[in-house]
Amino acid sequence: MPVDPVCKMTVKEESAAGKSVYLGVTYYFCNPNCKKKFDAAPESYISPEKEVSHEKAVPGRAVASSVDIPVGNMSCAGCAAKIEKKLLSIDGILKASVNFASEKASVEYDPARVKVSGIAAAIEGLGYRAAASHITFPVSGISCASCVDKIERALKSLDGVIEASVNFSTERASVDYVASLVAFGDMAAAVKAAGYEAAFEKESRGEDALEREERVRKEAYAVLRKKLIVGAALAVPVFLIANIEMFIGKGHQSSLSAFIQFVLATPVQFWCGLQFYKGAIASARRYSTDMNTLVAVGTSAAYFYSIAIMLVPSFFTVGGAMPAVYFDTSAAIIVLILFGRLLEARAKGSASEAIKKLMAMRAKTARVVRGGVEADIAVEDVIVGDIIIVRPGEKIPTDGVVVDGYSAVDESMISGESMPIEKNPGDAVIGSTVNKTGSFRFRATKVGRDTALMQIVRMVEDAQGSKPPIARLADKIASYFVPAVIAVASVTFVIWLVFGPEPAFNFALLNFVSVLIVACPCALGLATPTSIMVGTGKGAELGILIRDAEALENAHKVTTVVFDKTGTLTKGRPELKEVIAFAPFEEKDALFYAASAERVSEHPLGEAIVAMARERGIELAEATNFSAVSGLGIKATVGSKAVIFGNLRFMKEEGLDVSSFEDIIDRFAKRGETVMCLGVDARAAAVLAVADTVKDKAKDAVRRLKAMGKTVVMITGDNGRTARAVASELGIDNVLAEVLPKDKALEIRKLKKSGATVAMVGDGINDAVALAEADVGIAIGTGTDVAMEASSITLVGGDLNGIVAAFGLSKKTVANIWQNFFWAFFYNVALIPVAAGVLYPFFGILLNPMLAAAAMALSSVSVVTNALRLKRFTVA
């Protein structure tokens, strides 16, 4: 069998550079030359029965893997060069090529020295986006925060996985990955090797992934409720029998009583508590521990010790009487923990209500015209290009463009705007919004998961499944917590066994169990994800879409807010601000002549004048002899009058007396307005001022941000005079004018270097790189898809007061997380010493294992309940 001289043959499967398929077998190669030879002559190169990889045999030669990573937010070829330079500076990267046109980075690298996640991090560190594929899938078997850490480590160990985050509260994994290197099957295998199960969510007719998840959650809740009811029905008699006889028998129990307790407690231990054993065994197989280990070990110790007393009572007899058995303890602990789990499950369901509300807005059917025939079909069956009829009061089934008809549509669910929006042919409509008045037909442009509503749902879902930096603290603690607890419990057992009063073994066992049970880190695992779920859900209700948990955590730290001007602070379209007419002309005369002349023009300033004339009900005339003079203005005949309309220079060239114009023009220009002069039959008729007007609530938003102590900056490509005029109107003191689009990110970087934590607010394609460069990028939802893709927060309706709300929500959510940490640690840290018995020598106080179980359950419930308080967040 021929072998490449720089490689040796090994019969094992390995992640590698190239991939070829031959006779149904996938071969992996780590040397591109080997792959080329194989592709040329596979039959002579290797037998099809074996899977192989090539490993480096010559010292000093790097084994190269290659990957193509999509790169977002590049604005020019200079961006590509910058990324290439950065990548080539990284140890382990052998070759890097960034193509601006295809928006891809092609990298050859040594997997022993650098991982794909490191390459992606380098790209994002420059302010660009490593636009990898993303998948979210449910993972079963998660029981505590340490499970989360194990699954994340397993996923991140895969070459090709850029980032992995597991949410304990939703029991879902969110993974950013490079599809050419790793697939879901690889992720599922890694999760399974860690002792858990992953499921791939496919779209199914009549039940989507969210509905299926809701059904599975309800089924799991029902099983948990059934186990709790059965467990309680059996545990209560055990508790009563044990305690009544202990009271009557002055601290002793009979063998008959012990046997009855054994019969009742056994189903609780091994049916109701089966999930704890399964989890503990799975952890043991991977030489690890988790919360299930604590519960299983603790309850088993009490249960099997009690069996030993039953079977060999003479060995444990003290003072001639059989000692107490602890079936009531083991049964009560399991029931109490199940009760805590049930309350957790209910609270988790409540925490994800935001997505449920969004999904409830969807239309179920659509009236489609196909082949000239109308038919009601399921909305899942609508395809792009279908013509759909919508009648008054109906929900619009999917996104599209009106082709005929007229109506007003309630878009408040998307924009927050309470007034219905008029829709005419050519206007866009959004799926799941409500048609109020007339009927119309529209052509479907986006269907299924591509609609605006489903994109919002996905963004909320991803945010709820993501993890902020603050969560890493909990994950780090959880990874060491369970082994530490087992160590503390073991030391407690030994100390009580050696130094404790008689019966020393009983004291040692009970305190051992108490430590294990009270220390279960459920609350610690729930502290962050429940707050993130509720916080991002509340944001969605307020029209604030938060892309990830890190943005939610960082938003309240912002010290400087940088606004793009056009389309963000202003409406982005010119409007007629003022008309000053000169006698004998009146304002309506000036509008009539100017609008009639501009009627055939496509200039946006002219369109603003025409729009104002029509709004005032002025009947326009047909203009004849129309001609446009580039850079100056237009000429036309309106009725019998010769009309000229343009700038001051145009008026002078046409021989008009401009003395009456000049002072007014200067005043308007100082306000940053564009001034146009009107002449009728060689006489000065009027001056019209047009400007891009500020948004209705922009001034209020700026005022509120400044009241919060934020520095507000406006950045624009406009000239300084216009920029300062708009800034003055809004109350903004800091202006960066005449900034080219490519330099906006540079200005953001300068502010960050000065020590500011910067939020960039923008809506256009030219804002995308700056949005990505900022600590927090905030896109206006009425802007471009590119801007929204580059941002970490999107204001759906475009109301800038949403920024104030986002900062307030961020502050409340982070405070809520720290409160949750307090409650989680309060129970664990405060009660572990009590459970170990440190108070016994001084006060004779011991923590009964049943009370320990109740305290542990209460800690989880208190954390989730505290997180749900965020639902009451309101915008001040």
Side-chain angles (χ1 to χ4, degrees):
M1 182 186 302
V3 178
D4 190 282
V6 299
C7 295
K8 64 180 180 180
M9 199 71 65
T10 55
V11 185
K12 66 176 183 178
E13 184 172 309
E14 217 171 73
S15 180
K19 188 161 75 171
S20 297
V21 178
Y22 176 63
L23 296 181
V25 180
T26 302
Y27 298 91
Y28 294 87
F29 305 90
C30 51
N31 187 302
N33 292 327
C34 300
K35 180 178 183 298
K36 288 177 184 176
K37 290 185 178 182
F38 175 85
D39 289 339
E43 299 88 351
S44 62
Y45 191 67
I46 192 167
S47 66
E49 291 81 25
K50 295 179 180 178
E51 290 183 309
V52 305
S53 69
H54 294 286
E55 293 181 324
K56 179 174 76 72
V58 179
R61 284 286 300 273
V63 178
S65 291
S66 63
V67 63
D68 288 337
I69 300 178
V71 179
N73 303 338
M74 288 194 293
S75 59
C76 64
C79 299
K82 188 193 301 183
I83 297 168
E84 277 185 17
K85 184 178 178 182
K86 176 65 177 178
L87 293 178
L88 289 169
S89 70
I90 298 172
D91 181 46
I93 291 183
L94 311 175
K95 187 185 293 185
S97 174
V98 181
N99 189 309
F100 173 55
S102 64
E103 296 187 317
K104 279 188 179 179
S106 299
V107 183
E108 284 188 18
Y109 64 103
D110 179 1
R113 289 187 287 163
V114 66
K115 296 194 70 172
V116 173
S117 56
I119 300 171
I123 293 170
E124 298 208 339
L126 292 173
Y128 304 96
R129 186 160 178 264
S133 300
H134 179 81
I135 188 172
T136 302
F137 54 87
V139 179
S140 59
I142 299 176
S143 59
C144 67
S146 60
C147 299
V148 168
D149 180 65
K150 292 180 185 108
I151 298 167
E152 285 181 354
R153 280 192 279 115
L155 289 169
K156 288 176 182 177
S157 69
L158 297 172
D159 193 28
V161 169
I162 294 173
E163 185 57 59
S165 175
V166 178
N167 189 304
F168 177 34
S169 188
T170 59
E171 297 181 356
R172 296 173 70 84
S174 296
V175 184
D176 293 323
Y177 66 102
V178 179
S180 61
L181 287 184
V182 66
F184 173 75
D186 303 312
M187 300 176 209
V191 171
K192 188 168 186 177
Y196 306 89
E197 292 291 333
F200 181 57
E201 294 181 338
K202 292 183 179 178
E203 291 289 328
S204 61
R205 178 76 168 78
E207 183 185 42
D208 63 26
L210 289 169
E211 290 171 337
R212 183 165 59 257
E213 183 185 335
E214 179 66 13
R215 174 176 54 78
V216 170
R217 188 187 288 275
K218 285 180 179 178
E219 289 172 356
Y221 182 86
V223 171
L224 200 58
R225 185 170 175 270
K226 182 179 179 181
K227 285 189 173 185
L228 176 64
I229 292 170
V230 172
L234 295 171
V236 169
V238 173
F239 181 81
L240 292 174
I241 291 169
N243 286 278
I244 290 172
E245 188 172 34
M246 285 286 286
F247 178 75
I248 295 173
K250 298 180 179 179
H252 301 293
Q253 296 178 6
S254 67
S255 57
L256 176 61
S257 166
F259 180 74
I260 293 171
Q261 291 178 56
F262 162 73
V263 171
L264 293 172
T266 298
V268 179
Q269 188 73 30
F270 297 108
W271 182 70
C272 299
L274 181 62
Q275 64 199 69
F276 303 117
Y277 283 103
K278 283 183 175 179
I281 291 168
S283 291
R285 282 176 178 164
R286 58 182 184 270
Y287 307 105
S288 183
T289 56
D290 60 14
M291 180 209 131
N292 294 302
T293 307
L294 301 182
V295 177
V297 171
T299 59
S300 295
Y303 178 82
F304 288 110
Y305 172 63
S306 301
I307 289 179
I309 291 174
M310 279 178 50
L311 297 176
V312 195
S314 58
F315 183 79
F316 300 95
T317 297
V318 178
M322 186 179 84
V325 293
Y326 297 104
F327 290 117
D328 59 329
T329 298
S330 64
I333 287 171
I334 287 173
V335 168
L336 285 167
I337 292 175
L338 287 176
F339 179 63
R341 288 275 183 94
L342 191 76
L343 293 177
E344 273 179 34
R346 175 177 286 183
K348 284 179 185 178
S350 178
S352 60
E353 274 181 8
I355 289 181
K356 295 177 193 173
K357 287 179 181 177
L358 287 169
M359 294 300 290
M361 295 176 179
R362 294 180 302 171
K364 300 297 182 184
T365 61
R367 186 172 292 107
V368 177
V369 180
R370 289 179 180 169
V373 178
E374 293 183 19
D376 288 331
I377 64 173
V379 73
E380 294 90 348
D381 294 332
V382 175
I383 60 175
V384 173
D386 272 341
I387 300 298
I388 301 170
I389 300 173
V390 185
R391 294 191 173 95
E394 293 181 342
K395 285 185 178 180
I396 298 170
T398 187
D399 295 2
V401 176
V402 177
V403 293
D404 66 69
Y406 164 83
S407 186
V409 176
D410 179 0
E411 295 184 346
S412 57
M413 58 157 282
I414 294 290
S415 65
E417 175 59 54
S418 58
M419 293 296 292
I421 309 298
E422 291 186 358
K423 299 294 179 182
N424 293 290
D427 291 338
V429 290
I430 302 170
S432 303
T433 55
V434 180
N435 181 32
K436 301 296 285 186
T437 53
S439 296
F440 63 88
R441 297 183 179 214
F442 74 95
R443 179 179 290 104
T445 56
K446 292 182 180 179
V447 299
R449 295 182 67 82
D450 294 328
T451 61
L453 177 65
M454 291 308 296
Q455 286 174 348
I456 290 171
V457 168
R458 276 205 304 280
M459 189 178 284
V460 175
E461 218 184 348
D462 289 344
Q464 291 187 341
S466 63
K467 185 173 294 185
I470 195 173
R472 293 171 196 150
L473 172 65
D475 291 346
K476 193 72 174 175
I477 293 170
S479 64
Y480 297 106
F481 194 73
V482 174
V485 167
I486 292 175
V488 170
S490 301
V491 171
T492 300
F493 180 84
V494 172
I495 290 173
W496 276 93
L497 188 63
V498 174
F499 301 106
E502 289 297 328
F505 187 86
N506 288 26
F507 278 109
L509 178 70
L510 289 176
N511 291 326
F512 171 77
V513 173
S514 292
V515 170
L516 290 177
I517 299 305
V518 81
C520 286
C522 292
L524 186 61
L526 289 167
T528 302
T530 46
S531 295
I532 293 300
M533 282 181 70
V534 180
T536 51
K538 187 64 184 178
E541 290 179 18
L542 297 172
I544 306 164
L545 297 183
I546 300 164
R547 181 178 293 279
D548 55 49
E550 186 170 354
L552 184 61
E553 179 184 340
N554 290 336
H556 80 285
K557 301 175 186 176
V558 166
T559 58
T560 301
V561 184
V562 180
F563 285 97
D564 172 56
K565 181 181 78 70
T566 307
T568 303
L569 290 169
T570 66
K571 294 177 181 178
R573 62 180 185 274
E575 291 183 1
L576 183 62
K577 299 278 286 185
E578 195 168 348
V579 179
I580 296 181
F582 306 124
F585 299 99
E586 296 181 0
E587 184 177 315
K588 66 178 181 179
D589 299 322
L591 276 175
F592 168 75
Y593 287 115
S596 295
E598 285 283 3
R599 191 176 180 183
V600 295
S601 168
E602 294 181 353
H603 195 284
L605 299 180
E607 289 176 356
I609 294 167
V610 173
M612 178 59 74
R614 285 177 172 159
E615 187 178 310
R616 296 192 183 180
I618 297 173
E619 197 74 34
L620 302 182
E622 288 289 336
T624 57
N625 302 320
F626 178 88
S627 65
V629 182
S630 180
L632 296 175
I634 61 171
K635 293 181 182 181
T637 301
V638 178
S640 60
K641 305 289 186 181
V643 175
I644 59 172
F645 188 49
N647 58 29
L648 185 63
R649 177 183 161 193
F650 192 34
M651 299 298 114
K652 289 179 178 178
E653 289 185 3
E654 291 297 317
L656 267 73
D657 179 7
V658 297
S659 57
S660 55
F661 285 130
E662 289 176 332
D663 290 343
I664 299 169
I665 290 172
D666 188 56
R667 175 160 51 93
F668 284 162
K670 285 179 180 177
R671 295 193 329 217
E673 296 170 351
T674 301
V675 183
M676 291 180 287
C677 306
L678 176 68
V680 178
D681 282 345
R683 293 180 62 181
V687 174
L688 293 84
V690 177
D692 181 7
T693 56
V694 299
K695 289 184 176 177
D696 297 335
K697 298 179 182 178
K699 189 173 183 178
D700 182 51
V702 170
R703 177 188 60 77
R704 294 174 69 188
L705 286 169
K706 291 173 77 173
M708 293 173 75
K710 312 294 184 188
T711 300
V712 181
V713 179
M714 187 178 80
I715 190 167
T716 179
D718 276 357
N719 64 74
R721 187 164 66 176
T722 301
R724 285 188 292 274
V726 173
S728 175
E729 184 178 353
L730 291 166
I732 297 175
D733 303 318
N734 305 287
V735 180
L736 299 172
E738 299 179 33
V739 179
L740 297 174
K742 65 184 180 67
D743 293 330
K744 286 184 179 180
L746 183 62
E747 294 294 338
I748 298 295
R749 202 170 297 138
K750 286 179 183 176
L751 289 169
K752 288 168 68 176
K753 284 183 179 178
S754 70
T757 302
V758 182
M760 170 69 191
V761 188
D763 74 319
I765 292 173
N766 59 3
D767 299 323
V769 178
L771 286 166
E773 175 66 36
D775 296 293
V776 178
I778 303 175
I780 306 301
T782 51
T784 66
D785 290 342
V786 175
M788 288 185 274
E789 187 68 21
S791 67
S792 45
I793 296 175
T794 299
L795 306 181
V796 178
D799 182 356
L800 297 181
N801 279 307
I803 301 169
V804 180
F807 290 163
L809 183 62
S810 168
K811 187 175 182 179
K812 288 282 187 184
T813 303
V814 172
N816 193 270
I817 290 171
W818 282 112
Q819 291 161 8
N820 286 348
F821 278 155
F822 168 79
W823 286 112
F825 283 116
F826 174 80
Y827 283 100
N828 288 139
V829 176
L831 293 182
I832 286 175
V834 177
V838 296
L839 298 181
Y840 186 79
F842 309 103
F843 306 105
I845 296 174
L846 289 175
L847 184 64
N848 186 293
M850 286 182 279
L851 292 178
M856 191 277 289
L858 184 61
S859 69
S860 295
V861 173
S862 63
V863 161
V864 177
T865 303
N866 184 56
L868 291 175
R869 291 193 309 114
L870 285 170
K871 286 186 164 190
R872 299 201 295 267
F873 173 82
T874 55
V875 183

